Amino acid sequence: MKHPILTIVVPCFNEEEVFKETAKQLTSVLENLQEQTFIDAKSKILFVDDGSTDETWPLIEEESKINRYVTGIKLSRNVGHQNALLAGLEKAKNMSDCVISIDADLQDDISVIKDFMIKFHEGYDIVYGVRKSRETDTFFKRASARGFYRLMRKIGINLIPDHADFRLMSKRALEELSHYKETNLFLRGVIPLIGFKSAKVMYDRKERFAGTSKYPLKKMLSFAFDGITSFSVAPIRLVTLIGAFSFLLSLCAAGYAFIQELLGHTESGWTSLMISIWLIGGLQLMGIGLIGEYIGKIFNETKRRPKYTVETDLLPYKHNVHSPQHHGIFSGESGD
C-alpha cells in the first residue's frame, strides 16, 4: 500500500516575523512523518498569502527554492482568513490524499499532527484538533468563548467546542466541502455538516511565537455574528418575540391608562411618553438592522462572485494522488 500524500495548508497574513520558524518546524514534522512511513515523500506545506503587505510572499518564494516541502499561492488581495483557508484547501485537494489546516502563528501544537495521521490511517475522514483547556486565555476571552459555544448550541448550530481551524480532512471530505457554495463562509459550522466519520485530538495551545494576533476583539465579534447569521434565523425570531412582548406590554399600559382615566387620576406623563417612544423606536431600528443583515447576506449570495483570486501559484500542476485501501475513500467515488 502506498503512503498518502499530505498537504499542510497555512493561511498567512503579514506573518514575516514567524514565517521562517513555522516553515522550519512544519518541515521537521513532515520529515519525521515520512521517516515513520505515515506519509509520502511528495507531501507539501502550502502557504497561502492572503494579500500580505509585508515580506511574507517573498519569504515563501525564497523558501520554496531551497525547501522541497514548501510551496505557496498568493491571493491578489486580502479576502479574510476563511476564504484564504478555502483557497488552500481547494488547491490542496487536487494534489493530496489528506489535508491538515493550521494557522501560521505556531499556537496550535504541531506535535499532534502525528496523532492526526494515526486517526486518518484508522479510517477517519475528519480529525478535529480540540484544546484541552483555556487556562492561558484572559477571563473575558474564556467567558465569551464559553458563552458563544453555549449560544450556538441552543440555537441549533453544531460546532465543535474549543476547536478553531486546526483539523485534518480526507480527500473525500474535501470533495464534499466543495459542494457547499455559500459566499458567507463559516468553515467551523460547515465542516461538521459533512457528517463523515470523525475524531478529536486534544492538545494544549501555546503562546504565539512572534507577531501580533490577526483577530482582535472587533474581528472576533464580527466573526461570531457572521457564524450565527449564516446558520440560523434565531435572531430574527428573537426580534419577533421582543415585538410580541412589547405589543402585550403596550396593551397592559393602555388598560392601565384607561382605568386611570375612569378613576380621574390622569396626569400629564411626558417622561413615560418619551421613554415609550424611544423604546419602541430602538426596537424597530434594531429589527430593521437585523433583517437588513440577512438581506445583505442574500444579496452577496446571489451575486456569486469568486471568493478569491490567485495571483501567483508556485505549484500550478497536479499530483496524481494515490488510492490506498483507506475504507474506499480514494477510489474515485464522489462521496455523495
Side-chain angles (χ1 to χ4, degrees):
M1 182 181 71
K2 293 183 178 179
H3 307 305
I5 298 174
L6 167 67
T7 299
I8 301 178
V9 174
V10 189
C12 301
F13 178 67
N14 292 345
E15 300 288 359
E16 63 178 3
E17 294 180 66
V18 75
F19 172 78
K20 285 187 176 296
E21 184 64 25
T22 300
K24 176 184 175 182
Q25 292 193 24
L26 290 178
T27 296
S28 177
V29 168
L30 289 188
E31 288 174 341
N32 290 334
L33 289 175
Q34 185 183 340
E35 289 176 3
Q36 298 174 56
T37 68
F38 279 105
I39 62 174
D40 189 272
K42 294 179 181 178
S43 297
K44 294 286 184 182
I45 307 166
L46 175 61
F47 290 96
V48 182
D49 179 22
D50 184 22
S52 297
T53 55
D54 62 1
E55 294 300 304
T56 298
W57 180 246
L59 288 172
I60 294 173
E61 287 186 306
E62 177 185 341
E63 186 69 22
S64 69
K65 295 175 183 177
I66 59 176
N67 187 336
R68 68 183 181 90
Y69 290 107
V70 171
T71 186
I73 57 176
K74 175 178 173 59
L75 305 185
S76 60
R77 62 183 181 86
N78 179 250
V79 295
H81 179 272
Q82 295 289 279
N83 285 323
L85 178 54
L86 181 67
L89 295 178
E90 290 183 341
K91 177 65 179 177
K93 178 184 67 175
N94 298 323
M95 62 186 199
S96 315
D97 297 316
C98 57
V99 173
I100 292 176
S101 57
I102 187 172
D103 290 338
D105 55 17
L106 294 177
Q107 287 188 277
D108 295 320
D109 185 3
I110 62 174
S111 67
V112 301
I113 289 178
K114 178 180 177 180
D115 298 323
F116 282 20
M117 293 306 304
I118 291 174
K119 293 293 184 183
F120 174 75
H121 282 284
E122 291 175 355
Y124 290 94
D125 287 289
I126 303 173
V127 183
Y128 299 102
V130 178
R131 295 176 63 175
K132 291 181 181 178
S133 69
R134 287 184 169 270
E135 296 304 319
T136 57
D137 290 346
T138 62
F139 172 79
F140 173 78
K141 190 171 183 180
R142 189 163 56 247
S144 60
R146 289 172 180 168
F148 171 70
Y149 286 115
R150 192 177 298 115
L151 173 63
M152 297 294 267
R153 186 169 57 252
K154 283 186 176 295
I155 62 179
I157 302 175
N158 181 30
L159 294 184
I160 307 298
D162 297 324
H163 163 71
D165 290 300
F166 186 30
R167 69 178 75 88
L168 176 146
M169 298 181 70
S170 69
K171 185 176 179 64
R172 182 169 73 147
L174 290 171
E175 291 287 355
E176 286 300 314
L177 178 62
S178 67
H179 297 164
Y180 291 79
K181 302 295 186 181
E182 58 252 49
T183 299
N184 302 292
L185 193 64
F186 186 63
L187 287 173
R188 297 179 198 182
V190 169
I191 291 174
L193 294 178
I194 295 174
F196 289 147
K197 188 178 180 182
S198 63
K200 297 177 183 178
V201 170
M202 310 302 291
Y203 71 97
D204 289 314
R205 192 167 172 82
K206 303 176 181 179
E207 293 294 327
R208 185 181 175 89
F209 179 79
T212 58
S213 171
K214 305 305 184 296
Y215 265 92
L217 179 60
K218 182 179 178 181
K219 271 194 173 184
M220 289 180 65
L221 291 175
S222 177
F223 183 68
F225 188 67
D226 281 342
I228 293 171
T229 55
S230 294
F231 277 81
S232 176
V233 296
I236 289 182
R237 290 174 180 167
L238 178 62
V239 171
T240 303
L241 291 175
I242 292 174
F245 177 76
S246 300
F247 175 71
L248 293 175
L249 194 62
S250 66
L251 289 180
C252 294
Y256 174 77
F258 181 69
I259 293 172
Q260 293 295 96
E261 176 69 24
L262 292 178
L263 296 176
H265 296 159
T266 54
E267 296 179 2
S268 57
W270 182 87
T271 302
S272 60
L273 180 62
M274 289 298 99
I275 291 175
S276 299
I277 291 173
W278 291 340
L279 175 64
I280 299 300
L283 289 174
Q284 288 176 333
L285 289 174
M286 183 176 71
I288 291 171
L290 187 58
I291 293 170
E293 178 73 21
Y294 279 91
I295 292 174
K297 287 184 178 295
I298 295 171
F299 177 64
N300 287 331
E301 293 290 347
T302 56
K303 288 188 291 187
R304 311 304 296 170
R305 290 178 178 172
K307 299 181 184 68
Y308 58 86
T309 301
V310 177
E311 180 179 317
T312 309
D313 188 345
L314 299 181
L315 191 62
Y317 59 89
K318 298 180 181 180
H319 282 307
N320 293 319
V321 297
H322 300 146
S323 299
Q325 300 300 315
H326 183 63
H327 295 257
I329 289 177
F330 304 123
S331 58
E333 61 202 57
S334 65
D336 288 333

